[in-house]
Amino acid sequence: MNGVVHRLWPVPVLVALWEAGARAAASTYFPPPSAIAARLRELWFSGPPSRLFLSDQALQDFLPSLARMFGGWAIACAAGIALGVAVGRSSALAGYVDPIVEFGRAIPPPTLIPLFVVLFKVDVRMQVATIVYGVIWPVLVNSIDGARYVDRQHTETAQVFGLSRAQRLTRIILPAAAPKIFAGLRLSLSLALILMVVSELAGSATSGIGYELLYAQQNFDLPGMWGTIALLGVLGLLLNSSFLLVERRTLSWHRRARQTN
Amino acid sequence: MIDPRVVRGVVGVAGLLAVAEAAGRAGLMDTRIMPLASTVVARAAGLAVDGEFLQDVSATLGVWAAGLVVAILLAVPVGVLLGSLPRVEAAVRPLIEFLRPIPSVALIPLVALIAASDARVKVTVIVYAACWPVLVNTMYGLHDVDPVAKDTLRAFGFGRLAVLLRVALPSAAPFVLTGVRLAASVALVVAVSAELLAGGAGGIGVYIIKAGSGYRVDLMVAAAVWAGLIGLAVNALLVRAERVLFRWHAARAGVAA
Amino acid sequence: MLDVVNLTHTYGTGPNAHRALGGVDLTVAEGELVCVVGPSGCGKSTLLRSIAGLVRPTGGGVRVKGRSVSGTPDDLAVVFQDYSRSLFPWMSVGDNVALPLRRRGLGRAARRTAAAEALSAVGLESAAGKYPWELSGGMQQRVAIARALAYRPSLLLMDEPFGSVDAQTREDLEDLVLAVRGHHRMTIVLITHDIDESVYVGDRVVVLSRAPAVVAADLRVDLPSPRDQIGTRELPAFVHLRAEVGRLVRGKPQLSKAPNGPSSIDKE
């Protein structure tokens, strides 16, 4: 607890400086943090304490956004890991697929949004498709890498003791590749947040955090815009730290094994 | 003797195109919605000599380069400062951790209200996105300096500044360049995204919007293909630069930002 | 039990080809412990990996219990030199030992019991819940041996099993192998570069020539059992045999140029 206090003391100082600076400048474009906080509360956080102060509006905005984000991310993770492990375990297949992967990940995902709009029409499917396309690459590339470089002694041990194909996959290859795969999953989670916002800003979304951002812009609601941006920052921080927590627990063997060697 | 990897790569790409082509011709995909692979390839080739599209490409590269240069000029000095002053770094770190995950594209609506021209909107957003990889890698590079090298210079009576100039900066340079390479790819993606979202006079993103409003899916996909090729070319150039400049440096992986 | 017939193996093709095995013949009877020694780089490991089905030999064949095998024989276990890489760091010691038993069709409880028995046979009854990297190098190699024991193979291959541990641990592990093989009636082929060790643990010592390897000599070790680290090594017969193997490993030219097949020197 002491460590957290010690680490985070600059936060209130910076907020206070920002508040003083913004009040002194008195610009419409740069509202003070107190005004932003008040607007945020009004927008989303006036609900009952039992619901973490989330208002109905907050549920209406956050849930669809998060559902699309996690949905797209989950699809990309499943597809990326399955494809990546298959490609990583076969050097022939990898030769055929590598250039396609290199090129596919170089295409900026937002450039495909107009295409997805034509292909899928339905808003949600377009948004999920954008997220899937944008976030699958880190998972795929890391899974290929992780599965490709499984220690040969591990696979030979599995062969000598006659493990079946399924056992080799679930007991040896996936755990051995897990540290790499997790790194890809974490990177793609932060990309999923970005693409969630992009797809909501680009499409004609009718709900969601990106939609609220556009709505605030149209109404010249600057505290609302600053608030939404801050909210996205907090959301990104939360996503990353909770994923790190899961990663640390799942891969504790990896961290501790490396410390002892 | 041709490298079998190259052969396989070519076969893989050709195979994918052939499958897409066959799916279109066999009626599995509606060619009015999703054009044939051969059509896309032909359109992409056509765009290479299309003056209007080339102007859009140079517009995109213009804001991309401007944003990247400003980001480097901002992030490298800040990174050096923070990397060599651990206490300041510790104080600023929570701020960095909060600002970094904010999607730069989310700034577009706000910056669009504040900034005077749409070129400035784009450059501002690109700078925001491109800063982080450069900053993080610069800081990392300065932490990674061999303490023995530093102590050696100190023992000869050199001051802090001399140590920074002679040891810390040269050994951090490969990390900085890796940060620049990562930032360059990010900046290109953000540049095109900003064009798609904020519109403006020209750019690959603007071209794609125009093609989309005319239901020219073939041109949209062809332009996206060019965006990907440009991204690959930029990355390949910077990887080469890293190899040539820092042959002695093994750890080129860098810190993903 | 094991018949290796005119086994050859060549890595690569063309001018860069390296002929590792030049026609190895080897017969191991049921219950025997045969040590294979030879100059470093002579193809000892290639021989073991061919028997284990980890490399496909270029020529010749391997027969186990009279049946010729391709791929990994069913009743075979291997203990590798590098224990830190052959144990799986994401599994507990108990799970590592129990993993291969799934193939034996044992239920969960039976697997756990068999693993516990094998661990106690190597003196690690309390380590089942730990992770391999929480143990010392010697203890990790004991786990690898326990995993092989639990599997109850009829043929156990050991590739420089004590090459990565300190001298004291090495002696303990040598005695452990002698003790467990008495209990389990296994056939063991042990590859080592240590001449002392080959004479101390082996019933027979097979000396390979330089690459391309052939069997340069096949010596019977007639030392009283049970063997003892101090007593056995003092015996004149031990000293004599050690010197003999040492000279053979250094390689008398006429021996390494021997035509196909072993030129065996029969003791007694």
Side-chain angles (χ1 to χ4, degrees):
Chain A
M1 205 54 218
N2 208 356
V4 173
V5 172
H6 188 72
R7 238 168 62 81
L8 293 185
W9 67 265
V11 174
V13 175
L14 285 168
V15 172
L17 282 176
W18 180 12
E19 178 82 31
R23 283 190 189 207
S27 157
T28 334
Y29 294 109
F30 299 95
S34 56
I36 296 172
R39 183 76 186 109
L40 265 182
R41 188 179 142 73
E42 198 183 333
L43 269 175
W44 287 315
F45 296 98
S46 51
S50 61
R51 271 200 340 214
L52 295 169
F53 300 101
L54 291 169
S55 64
D56 291 334
Q57 183 64 38
L59 295 184
Q60 218 175 320
D61 285 328
F62 297 171
L63 289 183
S65 281
L66 292 176
R68 288 188 286 252
M69 185 187 75
F70 282 117
W73 182 65
I75 294 172
C77 290
I81 293 173
L83 263 172
V85 171
V87 170
R89 289 314 297 166
S90 152
S91 61
L93 197 54
Y96 295 116
V97 173
D98 274 348
I100 298 172
V101 172
E102 282 303 310
F103 179 65
R105 70 196 277 219
I107 296 179
T111 61
L112 296 178
I113 291 180
L115 172 68
F116 292 147
V117 170
V118 177
L119 284 182
F120 298 120
K121 293 183 188 73
V122 194
D123 221 31
V124 178
R125 274 167 59 192
M126 177 285 270
Q127 287 162 344
V128 173
T130 308
I131 295 172
V132 170
Y133 186 86
V135 310
I136 197 172
W137 306 108
V139 185
L140 185 62
V141 170
N142 277 276
S143 304
I144 292 177
D145 222 38
R148 184 177 295 171
Y149 299 112
V150 174
D151 195 319
R152 201 177 66 166
Q153 190 108 79
H154 287 335
T155 51
E156 287 187 344
T157 303
Q159 187 188 337
V160 163
F161 287 106
L163 297 194
S164 67
R165 281 180 85 84
Q167 285 170 347
R168 278 188 222 186
L169 180 68
T170 57
R171 308 257 153 197
I172 314 299
I173 291 162
L174 283 178
K180 277 265 166 77
I181 294 177
F182 267 87
L185 295 183
R186 184 151 42 86
L187 189 57
S188 66
L189 186 58
S190 56
L191 281 178
L193 180 70
I194 297 177
L195 285 160
M196 175 197 93
V197 175
V198 175
S199 68
E200 287 177 355
L201 289 178
S204 42
T206 49
S207 65
I209 302 172
Y211 167 75
E212 287 298 335
L213 191 59
L214 276 183
Y215 188 77
Q217 185 201 29
Q218 280 150 18
N219 291 292
F220 212 71
D221 171 12
L222 280 143
M225 297 183 73
W226 281 95
T228 309
I229 290 168
L231 179 85
L232 287 168
V234 172
L235 196 57
L237 196 60
L238 275 178
L239 286 174
N240 197 42
S241 18
S242 30
F243 188 86
L244 268 177
L245 211 65
V246 174
E247 183 176 328
R248 291 232 169 94
R249 298 201 105 193
T250 319
L251 297 181
S252 69
W253 62 266
H254 179 64
R255 206 157 34 89
R256 288 158 67 200
R258 286 226 306 218
Q259 278 165 3
T260 49
N261 280 344
Chain B
M1 194 64 194
I2 309 167
D3 186 353
R5 282 195 72 82
V6 176
V7 177
R8 282 198 183 133
V10 171
V11 171
V13 173
L16 184 71
L17 289 175
V19 168
E21 180 79 18
R25 292 206 185 264
L28 291 175
M29 284 192 304
D30 187 346
T31 46
R32 281 168 307 172
I33 294 175
M34 187 67 210
L36 290 173
S38 56
T39 316
V40 172
V41 171
R43 290 291 176 278
L47 285 182
V49 290
D50 179 341
E52 193 198 339
F53 180 68
L54 291 180
Q55 265 184 354
D56 282 321
V57 170
S58 67
T60 299
L61 290 179
V63 290
W64 167 76
L68 189 60
V69 168
V70 175
I72 294 168
L73 291 179
L74 269 175
V76 173
V78 174
V80 170
L81 196 71
L82 294 181
S84 42
L85 301 171
R87 284 183 175 209
V88 182
E89 194 206 315
V92 180
R93 194 154 267 281
L95 184 68
I96 295 179
E97 277 170 29
F98 167 69
L99 290 178
R100 227 172 102 184
I102 295 179
S104 53
V105 282
L107 300 179
I108 292 174
L110 177 65
V111 181
L113 288 184
I114 300 174
S117 70
D118 64 56
R120 273 200 205 163
V121 174
K122 290 170 193 165
V123 173
T124 309
V125 178
I126 295 170
V127 168
Y128 186 85
C131 264
W132 303 112
V134 182
L135 180 69
V136 171
N137 276 282
T138 305
M139 282 161 52
Y140 185 86
L142 280 159
H143 291 309
D144 196 54
V145 175
D146 185 357
V148 178
K150 276 202 267 192
D151 291 345
T152 312
L153 271 198
R154 289 239 178 89
F156 282 115
F158 286 90
R160 277 181 84 102
L161 192 65
V163 171
L164 183 70
L165 288 178
R166 277 160 211 275
V167 177
L169 288 187
S171 65
F175 290 95
V176 177
L177 190 55
T178 303
V180 169
R181 177 166 58 83
L182 295 173
S185 327
V186 172
L188 193 65
V189 174
V190 174
V192 178
S193 310
E195 289 163 359
L196 279 163
L197 295 176
I204 301 175
V206 176
Y207 184 91
I208 291 176
I209 295 179
K210 279 194 215 146
S213 59
Y215 287 101
R216 290 297 303 274
V217 181
D218 51 345
L219 290 177
M220 275 160 40
V221 178
V225 165
W226 274 110
L229 289 176
I230 293 168
L232 278 181
V234 167
N235 191 53
L237 269 176
L238 285 164
V239 168
R240 253 196 103 74
E242 279 176 71
R243 292 223 177 109
V244 172
L245 287 173
F246 303 116
R247 232 184 291 243
W248 43 273
H249 185 77
R252 264 190 290 264
V255 188
Chain C
M1 173 70 214
L2 171 70
D3 294 289
V4 175
V5 185
N6 195 23
L7 198 72
T8 57
H9 189 76
T10 307
Y11 291 103
T13 50
N16 293 325
H18 171 69
R19 243 181 122 210
L21 301 180
V24 173
D25 289 276
L26 177 67
T27 300
V28 180
E30 179 122 28
E32 239 185 340
L33 198 171
V34 173
C35 290
V36 178
V37 293
S40 50
C42 76
K44 298 184 292 271
S45 285
T46 307
L47 173 62
L48 177 133
R49 293 165 61 81
S50 303
I51 299 171
L54 295 172
V55 296
R56 189 183 289 273
T58 327
V62 176
R63 285 206 302 269
V64 176
K65 288 181 186 161
R67 270 183 314 199
S68 93
V69 289
S70 59
T72 304
D74 275 341
D75 257 0
L76 174 124
V78 179
V79 174
F80 293 98
Q81 173 179 1
D82 196 347
Y83 45 79
S84 68
R85 288 167 57 213
S86 87
L87 296 177
F88 303 114
W90 51 87
M91 291 179 195
S92 71
V93 163
D95 287 344
N96 261 289
V97 174
L99 177 69
L101 302 177
R102 292 170 170 269
R103 196 192 177 201
R104 292 276 186 259
L106 295 178
R108 202 184 162 78
R111 289 203 301 267
R112 197 168 289 171
T113 318
E117 271 171 23
L119 280 170
S120 92
V122 300
L124 282 177
E125 39 282 277
S126 59
K130 291 190 173 159
Y131 282 90
W133 33 267
E134 290 175 306
L135 307 177
S136 70
M139 284 156 92
Q140 289 184 45
Q141 194 61 305
R142 277 170 195 267
V143 176
I145 293 170
R147 178 172 63 187
L149 291 180
Y151 193 60
R152 300 205 174 278
S154 41
L155 178 61
L156 174 63
L157 304 179
M158 306 181 97
D159 187 5
E160 303 265 8
F162 319 127
S164 305
V165 296
D166 61 81
Q168 177 63 49
T169 311
R170 163 182 281 252
E171 292 184 357
D172 293 345
L173 291 175
E174 285 165 4
D175 289 334
L176 173 70
V177 167
L178 290 174
V180 294
R181 89 153 180 142
H183 286 288
H184 289 82
R185 290 293 305 153
M186 274 181 300
T187 311
I188 302 179
V189 175
L190 189 152
I191 291 204
T192 177
H193 63 270
D194 185 318
I195 294 159
D196 260 54
E197 179 171 285
S198 70
V199 176
Y200 179 73
V201 296
D203 299 326
R204 267 165 64 206
V205 177
V206 170
V207 183
L208 295 186
S209 68
R210 282 180 201 292
V214 294
V215 174
D218 190 337
L219 306 156
R220 177 149 301 283
V221 179
D222 269 330
L223 295 169
S225 299
R227 295 187 187 168
D228 174 78
Q229 288 288 355
I230 311 284
T232 304
R233 287 176 200 266
E234 281 178 338
L235 296 173
F238 180 89
V239 175
H240 178 74
L241 207 51
R242 182 178 62 184
E244 180 80 45
V245 174
R247 267 190 290 275
L248 286 162
V249 169
R250 293 273 153 77
K252 291 182 201 152
Q254 70 269 27
L255 281 173
S256 59
K257 267 189 206 137
N260 276 348
S263 63
S264 50
I265 296 170
D266 213 20
K267 296 295 292 178
E268 311 275 286

